[in-house]
Structures are given as structure tokens and as C-alpha cells.
Amino acid sequence: MSAPILDETERHEAPLTLEEPAPKVLSFWDQSAFWANLGVSLVAFTGAYTVLAPNTEYAPQISIAAGILAMIVGTVLGGVMLGLAAVPGAQTGKPAMVLLRGLFGAKLSYLPTVLNIAQLIGWGTFELIVIGNAAEELFDGGPHWLYVVVAGVLTTVLTIWPLGSVRMLRRFVTVGVVIALIWFYIQFLHKGLPDLTTNPGPKGAGPFGVDWSLFWIATDAALAVSISWVPVAADYTRHSRSTGAAFGAASGAYAITQIVAYILGLFALALATGDGGQYTPFLQVSLGAVFFFVFVLREADQSFANVYSTAVSIQNLTPRIDRRVLSIGLGALITVLALQLKMENYFGFLGLIGSVFVPLLGVLVADFFLRAKGNWNTAPDAPSRWGMIVAWLVGLSVYQLINPGDAGVWTDFWVNIQERLHFTKQPWMSASLLSFLAAVLVAWIVGRVATARKSA
């Protein structure tokens, strides 16, 4: 039986199952546009408040200046981590969760795969909620459910042709986003540069008296947004034409636009009066509604990336299932969830993501770059590597001891561990950096011991 004849579009699209090879069709500029658009998110605008108030549900606790510094540090570090996560996909042509077969073994890779599926469904749901809320403010009311459903349908359509969607972002969407960013910066600065030494927002109060013990918590909050893309980076960079293009686009384009979006969100927060919604400052400037519509429409690429990567992650569990079937089902699922849930406990969600995937990346970096030199066994029968699981859990524990977050019973458990160990966090401690380094160190030691045993 002869092979089916594929048209040009099909040859340059993502494979439908894991058994098909990944075409290497994405250039540096294709990937830069993709990551740059992911960096300019409505979540970044609303997340600015999370960075300023890293340890409370109410008033900001650090100034705009400290918030900007925390955002820059966290985002740059997160961008580098994202770039490192992008490299294995470009080198091997494998999606992210399949790569973890080489790190943990085929069966043990199911654990991070399930966690990744859960966090991606959560992010996809959050994105639809954000789109619905933003559209409601943009159009001054209207049926919230309709905005969510339209966003869910658009998300699902984009996932059917993922590589075509990435190229479309470069050709049409990125230019509009850049123009909108420039426009809002001009308009906000025309109203006057906010006082960088004060806490912004309608509930903000107090001078520069920043509690710097919260600085690294704020940095971790900014970094967690970047880290949320780490476990999916290879899903896209496996289609990169080169390793350098994958690393440069993921680390550079994303970090730059994320910082730009965060600072713009801070300026908007500083201009907020307490009347209206969280996006009111954007809508009050000249032509604000027109350019804000660009942001709302573009936000669908966030939910698209989450849904597509969820489908690819599920394929690590069931390799032969068609990703299009999965995408349609997942698009419907997150739409239903977005209609039922609200945007609450955002910081707690970010903290859990960081505590899981920052140390996971540390283990990956130590084993892929330092030990295996890119030579991993990602076969369906790859042997289990419990030592790497131990390294991951050590890193996760370090993160939680420093920053247990705000996640109910989970947080209570780690606070109790802190008390039993008589552990007190110091202001210089970054949960992300220290957990990453701990995971790297333990994974490197485990790898060296395993290699020595094989050589003996």
C-alpha cells in the first residue's frame, strides 16, 4: 500500500501522533514571534499586582521600583531557564514529556506528565477566564459566557494547525502587538511617570519603606510565569531548524516582551483610581479600546499553546491517539471549566508550578547537559531512574521550605516541616534559585555514581 500524498501544508505541520517525525520548519524569527507573543499577556498585566503584593491578598508591600527590579531579575532568570529547556527538543526532535523518558525512564515519566497535564489545563482555564473578563470590560458588559465560548472555539481552531498558527503570529499578529505596546507606553507616560518609590494602586499606601525580605518572593512570582512554559518548550522547539535558534528565541524574545508587559502593567496599576475594572487604565486613553482589543484577541495564543501542549503531553501516555481529537476535547473541557471557575488563588497556583518545575529543570540540566551530553534513551521501554526522582524531590523540598506559598493544606504541611526543622527563611533566599541548584547538585552526584557503577 502506497504512502498517502501530503500537500505542502501537511508536510509542514506538527505530526498527528508520536510515531511520526517532527518537521524542522520553524526559523529563529518564527519562534521569536511565538515566544514574544506569549510574553505579552493579559496575565502579565494582572500579575503585576501579584509581584507587588507577594505575601498578602490586599495592599502592595513593595514599591514600583522594587517591583520592576524583581520582575526584571525573575524574568531574565526565567528566560534563561526557558532557553535551556528549549535545547533538548531542538536536538532530539522529541516533545517535552517524551524527553522525560530519558530523564526518569518511560514509566516514571508518567508522573511529571500527569502533573504537567494538570497545570496546563489550569493555565488554559485561567487564560479563558482572563479573556472573558477583559472582553467584558472592553465591551462594557455583555454576556460573559459568550466571550469565554468564543475564546474557547478560537483556541481549539488554532490547535488543529499549531505550526501554521505559529507562522501566522509572526506574519500578522506580532506587528499589531508591538504597535499597541508602544501606543500604551506613550499614553501612560503622557499622563506622567508614576512615583517609583511608592506603592501603587487604589489600596497602595506608604513611601519607599520596602520590606526587602519579600523581594525574592516577588522575584519568584515573576519567575514562575516564565517557568510555567519550561515543561512545554520542547513541544515547539522540536520543530526548530537549529539549536541556537531555539535557545535564542525562547530565552531572549520571551524575556524582553514579558518585562515590557510587566512594567506596562505596573504603570497601569499606578494610574488606577479604584473606579472600574483592572483594565480601566488601558481603556481610558485615546484609542485605548482599539489597541486593547489587539491584546484581548492575541491572548488566544496563550490558551492555544496550553491546549496543544496538553494534547502532546497526553500522547506520552497514549502515543497513537490523534492530537486533533485530543485538542477538541481539551478545548471543550477548559471552556466548561472557565465558565464555572473564577480567577482566585493565583499566587498560590504560581507557587505550586514553580516548586514542581524549577527543580525538574535543574535535574534535566544536570543530566542532559552535564552527564548524557544530549544522548538520552527516550524509547517506550526506557529503564526507570529512581535517583533522578530523588533529586527532583530534594529540589522541590528546598523550594517549599523557603516559600511554602498559599495553597491550603499543602502550605500547612510545609509550614509544619519548617517548625520541626527550626528553619527560618532569610531575606537573601530565593526559592527558585536554591531549589534549582539543589536539584542540579543532587542529580549530578546521582549521575556520577551511576556512571561509576557501570564502569566498575
Side-chain angles (χ1 to χ4, degrees):
M1 183 176 180
S2 60
I5 299 176
L6 302 177
D7 63 25
E8 194 66 18
T9 299
E10 290 173 313
R11 290 194 193 97
H12 291 80
E13 253 309 335
L16 300 181
T17 69
L18 286 186
E19 298 177 345
E20 303 169 29
K24 299 281 191 175
V25 297
L26 295 182
S27 68
F28 170 78
W29 295 110
D30 289 331
Q31 295 173 84
S32 292
F34 172 70
W35 291 113
N37 276 283
L38 290 183
V40 183
S41 170
L42 294 174
V43 173
F45 299 148
T46 57
Y49 190 91
T50 300
V51 174
L52 291 174
N55 202 30
T56 181
E57 299 177 358
Y58 302 104
Q61 294 172 310
I62 63 177
S63 69
I64 296 180
I68 289 176
L69 182 59
M71 289 172 186
I72 292 174
V73 172
T75 302
V76 169
L77 291 174
V80 172
M81 291 181 179
L82 183 60
L84 291 173
V87 170
Q91 285 189 3
T92 64
K94 303 294 184 182
M97 294 300 104
V98 173
L99 282 170
L100 295 187
R101 296 176 182 176
L103 184 60
F104 297 129
K107 298 299 183 183
L108 291 181
S109 73
Y110 294 167
L111 173 59
T113 297
V114 170
L115 293 175
N116 192 43
I117 291 169
Q119 72 111 357
L120 288 173
I121 291 175
W123 271 116
T125 301
F126 273 134
E127 290 295 347
L128 293 192
I129 293 172
V130 168
I131 293 173
N133 292 343
E136 198 168 0
E137 285 195 41
L138 175 64
F139 298 113
D140 195 22
H144 178 84
W145 68 267
L146 180 61
Y147 302 140
V148 171
V149 170
V150 170
V153 171
L154 178 58
T155 294
T156 305
V157 170
L158 290 173
T159 60
I160 302 300
W161 299 279
L163 298 187
S165 299
V166 170
R167 291 189 288 266
M168 180 188 68
L169 289 174
R170 175 189 173 186
R171 294 173 184 172
F172 304 109
V173 179
T174 306
V175 173
V177 170
V178 170
I179 293 173
L181 284 170
I182 293 173
W183 181 260
F184 281 119
Y185 264 97
I186 292 174
Q187 294 297 314
F188 287 172
L189 293 176
H190 179 71
K191 291 189 173 185
L193 187 68
D195 184 354
L196 301 183
T197 66
T198 61
N199 304 116
K203 295 182 180 179
F208 187 69
V210 177
D211 183 356
W212 283 96
S213 65
L214 297 175
F215 176 78
W216 283 110
I217 299 179
T219 300
D220 286 338
L223 191 150
V225 179
S226 303
I227 287 297
S228 68
W229 296 112
V230 160
V232 306
D235 297 342
Y236 307 95
T237 59
R238 64 175 173 149
H239 301 290
S240 177
R241 294 175 183 172
S242 71
T243 300
F247 178 84
S251 61
Y254 181 87
I256 290 171
T257 55
Q258 177 87 332
I259 291 170
V260 169
Y262 260 134
I263 294 176
L264 187 63
L266 280 176
F267 286 177
L269 185 60
L271 294 172
T273 62
D275 299 324
Q278 57 188 332
Y279 302 113
T280 299
F282 292 95
L283 301 176
Q284 289 178 334
V285 303
S286 177
L287 297 179
V290 174
F291 288 106
F292 190 70
F293 178 73
V294 174
F295 289 155
V296 175
L297 184 64
R298 185 227 51 81
E299 193 72 12
D301 70 349
Q302 303 270 344
S303 50
F304 139 68
N306 286 307
V307 169
Y308 171 68
S309 285
T310 308
V312 175
S313 296
I314 292 174
Q315 285 183 322
N316 186 43
L317 309 177
T318 55
R320 296 183 179 180
I321 190 169
D322 191 317
R323 63 168 174 79
R324 296 172 299 185
V325 175
L326 291 171
S327 296
I328 293 172
L330 290 166
L333 173 62
I334 67 168
T335 301
V336 171
L337 291 175
L339 290 171
Q340 300 298 321
L341 303 177
K342 298 190 180 296
M343 192 72 168
E344 297 174 349
N345 297 324
Y346 179 64
F347 182 70
F349 183 58
L350 289 181
L352 282 177
I353 290 172
S355 68
V356 170
F357 291 109
V358 167
L360 177 61
L361 178 63
V363 177
L364 183 149
V365 167
D367 199 64
F368 185 86
F369 292 99
L370 302 181
R371 185 199 63 84
K373 310 295 185 183
N375 184 23
W376 261 354
N377 177 8
T378 58
D381 60 350
S384 298
R385 304 179 66 203
W386 285 98
M388 294 301 157
I389 293 288
V390 171
W392 181 25
L393 293 177
V394 168
L396 185 148
S397 298
V398 170
Y399 192 108
Q400 288 297 321
L401 283 173
I402 296 172
N403 181 13
D406 182 18
V409 175
W410 176 261
T411 297
D412 294 339
F413 170 79
W414 286 102
V415 169
N416 185 50
I417 296 295
Q418 285 179 335
E419 293 173 352
R420 287 175 179 268
L421 296 176
H422 302 288
F423 175 82
T424 301
K425 179 200 169 182
Q426 302 301 313
W428 54 268
M429 290 182 178
S430 165
S432 296
L433 292 180
L434 293 180
S435 65
F436 178 83
L437 294 174
V440 168
L441 178 61
V442 176
W444 180 78
I445 293 173
V446 168
R448 293 277 293 183
V449 170
T451 301
R453 286 181 176 177
K454 288 182 179 179
S455 301

